[in-house]
Amino acid sequence: MTAQRDQGYVHEVFRSIQGEGLYVGAMQIFARLSGCSFCCNYCDTRGAALRTEECALRGIDGDTMIANPVDPAELAAFVASLAGATPGIHSLSVTGGEPLEQPDFLEVFLVHVRAAGLPVYLETNGLLEGPAARIAPLSDVVSMDIKLPSLCGGTDTFDIYSKVLPIFGARELFCKVVVAEGMKYEEFTGAADLLASYDRMVPMVIQPVTPGCGCEAAGAALIERCCIDAARRLVKVRVIPQCHTVMGLR
Ligand code: SF4
C-alpha cells in the first residue's frame, strides 16, 4: 500500500522525563520519529535511525504495536490521551531519528497536538532549512543541536546553521553541543562564535558525551575549558550531561 503524503514513520510514543537540555526534569510525552540521514559517532538512538515497520504506542496499560506509516490524527489522539492521563505534562517532545526529515507528517500531526492544548518541544539536528521553516511556527520550544564535524562523520554543517538559526530564533530556542575527547577544539569555539554572531542571548548547553556512546568521554579539564570559552562569547552557558541514562529512564 502506498503511504499517503502526510503519514509518518514513527518509532515509538511514550511518556518520560526529559533528560537533556534546559528542560531537564520536565515530564513529557515523547514522539520518536524514525529515520535519520546524518551520522553522529555518539548517536544513542540508532534503533530509530532507519524507518521501522511498526510503531510502539507505550500506554499506561502496556504497549500496542501499529503498522507504519501512521496516520497523524490517530497518533495525535494517542498523544492527547497519554497526556490526559499524566499530571504535570510540560509538552510533547518531537524527537528522533530526525523529525525534520518528515515535514509533511509533522505539519498535520503538530496541528492536531497543539489543538489538543499540548505545547510542542522540537528536538532537531537543524540541518534541513526548508523543513525548519515549515515546522518552526508549530514549535513552542526548539532544542537544536550544533554538530561538530569531527564527531559527526566530518560533514561541515556550519553554513546550514547560519541559515537555520534565524528561523528557529523566532521561537524559544536553545542550542546543544555534544563534546568529547578527540574532537577538534576549534570546531567547538567555531560553534560558539556562530551562535554569538547570530545572538549572544541564545542559551548554549554543553553536553559531555555519555560514556559508552561511541566517543571517548570528555574529561573535567575539557569540559571546563569549553564552558569558559563559550562564556566568553555567549551570555547563557550551561553544562548538562544526559540525565535520563543516569536515572535508568527511556
Ligand atoms: S542527528 Fe540525532 S538521530 Fe541522527 S545520527 Fe545524529 S544523534 Fe543520531
Side-chain angles (χ1 to χ4, degrees):
M1 196 169 69
T2 309
Q4 289 177 19
R5 193 166 165 262
D6 63 4
Q7 290 185 321
Y9 286 81
V10 180
H11 188 66
E12 57 182 350
V13 178
F14 57 98
R15 74 174 181 194
S16 190
I17 296 165
Q18 177 59 246
E20 299 180 356
L22 290 187
Y23 283 86
V24 68
M27 177 71 82
Q28 292 180 312
I29 308 297
F30 291 76
R32 184 181 304 290
L33 276 61
S34 54
C36 177
S37 306
F38 206 57
C39 187
C40 305
N41 301 358
Y42 51 78
C43 182
D44 62 348
T45 57
R46 293 192 196 280
L50 297 175
R51 293 189 170 185
T52 46
E53 288 187 6
E54 290 186 313
C55 165
L57 303 180
R58 306 195 190 281
I60 307 292
D61 300 320
D63 296 353
T64 303
M65 304 302 293
I66 60 171
N68 270 321
V70 299
D71 178 79
E74 284 178 27
L75 199 74
F78 177 75
V79 167
S81 70
L82 196 52
T86 311
I89 286 288
H90 174 270
S91 53
L92 169 73
S93 171
V94 183
T95 186
E98 174 46 50
L100 292 186
E101 294 192 5
Q102 300 188 67
D104 295 338
F105 168 71
L106 282 184
E107 266 183 340
V108 181
F109 175 54
L110 297 184
V111 165
H112 284 289
V113 167
R114 286 159 64 96
L118 203 56
V120 171
Y121 173 106
L122 174 68
E123 299 190 81
T124 177
N125 64 20
L127 293 172
L128 294 168
E129 184 185 355
R134 290 168 61 185
I135 302 308
L138 298 170
S139 306
D140 297 280
V141 180
V142 178
S143 165
M144 189 186 92
D145 285 3
I146 298 180
K147 303 290 189 186
L148 303 187
S150 56
L151 299 180
C152 298
T155 310
D156 189 352
T157 52
F158 284 19
D159 277 354
I160 302 172
Y161 287 132
S162 64
K163 294 176 186 151
V164 170
L165 277 169
I167 295 172
F168 285 136
R171 320 308 295 173
E172 182 183 338
L173 169 68
F174 68 89
C175 290
K176 186 158 58 69
V177 183
V178 175
V179 299
E181 295 294 341
M183 70 183 194
K184 286 189 183 160
Y185 193 75
E186 61 271 25
E187 292 174 357
F188 176 78
T189 51
D193 283 335
L194 178 77
L195 195 49
S197 70
Y198 168 64
D199 183 350
R200 293 184 68 234
M201 300 302 292
V202 175
M204 174 189 272
V205 173
I206 300 166
Q207 182 173 296
V209 74
T210 300
C213 271
C215 293
E216 188 182 342
L222 175 60
I223 294 169
E224 190 173 279
R225 185 182 176 199
C226 289
C227 190
I228 289 169
D229 277 332
R232 286 197 172 102
R233 296 160 167 84
L234 298 160
V235 172
K236 192 168 184 180
V237 177
R238 299 288 184 271
V239 177
I240 306 175
Q242 281 189 319
C243 296
H244 53 291
T245 54
V246 176
M247 294 184 279
L249 295 166
R250 186 183 295 277

